[in-house]
Amino acid sequence: MASKLHLPFLEATRNVFQLMLDLTDIKDLPAEIFDGENELDISIEIVGDMSGVVVYRFPQKTSLNFVNIMSGMEIEEVDDFVVSAMSEISNIISGNVMTMLAQDDLKCDILPPQLYQADETKTYSVRTSCCISTSAGDTCIDILLNPTK
């Protein structure tokens, strides 16, 4: 199940980074070498045939680089504008993934993005991560889900 989810997230992330950020130098990055120091974590809750959360982990430098590309402005600190922009990127990637999963008869929906707050009391049967490296910075996606069927 993890690989069935892993690949659509990678594909959707690549597509969104190419379309929204005009990044073409996108490479997979092993999750174990992802340096997520001082990161902005955006979560998208998943409901439907699978339930849980997807966490988009953007180091602050990556967040600022992405927003600078999108807005054409030099932003130097993570503020509400940066959080909103990174939330929208996360939302678009997640929506694209849900469309891909629906083609495989896995019906899920997403809830609005929010800043991630870990809940150590929850357990997930599907746990996987995929990370991407670009010239504008790295991004890691943690997929934490349970089947509901």
Side-chain angles (χ1 to χ4, degrees), residues 37-98:
E37 213 172 292
N38 297 321
E39 63 189 38
L40 173 60
D41 295 340
I42 304 293
S43 66
I44 304 278
E45 189 174 346
I46 308 293
V47 295
D49 292 345
M50 300 288 289
S51 66
V53 66
V54 176
V55 182
Y56 293 84
R57 298 171 46 213
F58 302 101
Q60 286 187 13
K61 183 176 178 185
T62 300
S63 301
L64 295 172
N65 287 340
F66 284 7
V67 173
N68 289 341
I69 291 168
M70 289 171 45
S71 68
M73 300 184 303
E74 272 306 309
I75 311 272
E76 295 183 9
E77 65 182 50
V78 174
D79 58 11
D80 289 343
F81 180 73
V82 173
V83 171
S84 177
M86 300 313 295
S87 295
E88 190 55 30
I89 288 174
S90 304
N91 197 42
I92 292 168
I93 293 169
S94 297
N96 288 340
V97 171
M98 296 308 115

Side-chain angles (χ1 to χ4, degrees), residues 10-31:
L10 279 174
E11 183 179 341
T13 303
R14 282 187 196 106
N15 292 341
V16 169
F17 284 5
Q18 286 174 344
L19 291 171
M20 288 185 72
L21 303 169
D22 197 27
L23 294 172
T24 57
D25 62 333
I26 300 169
K27 301 177 288 206
D28 292 352
L29 177 71

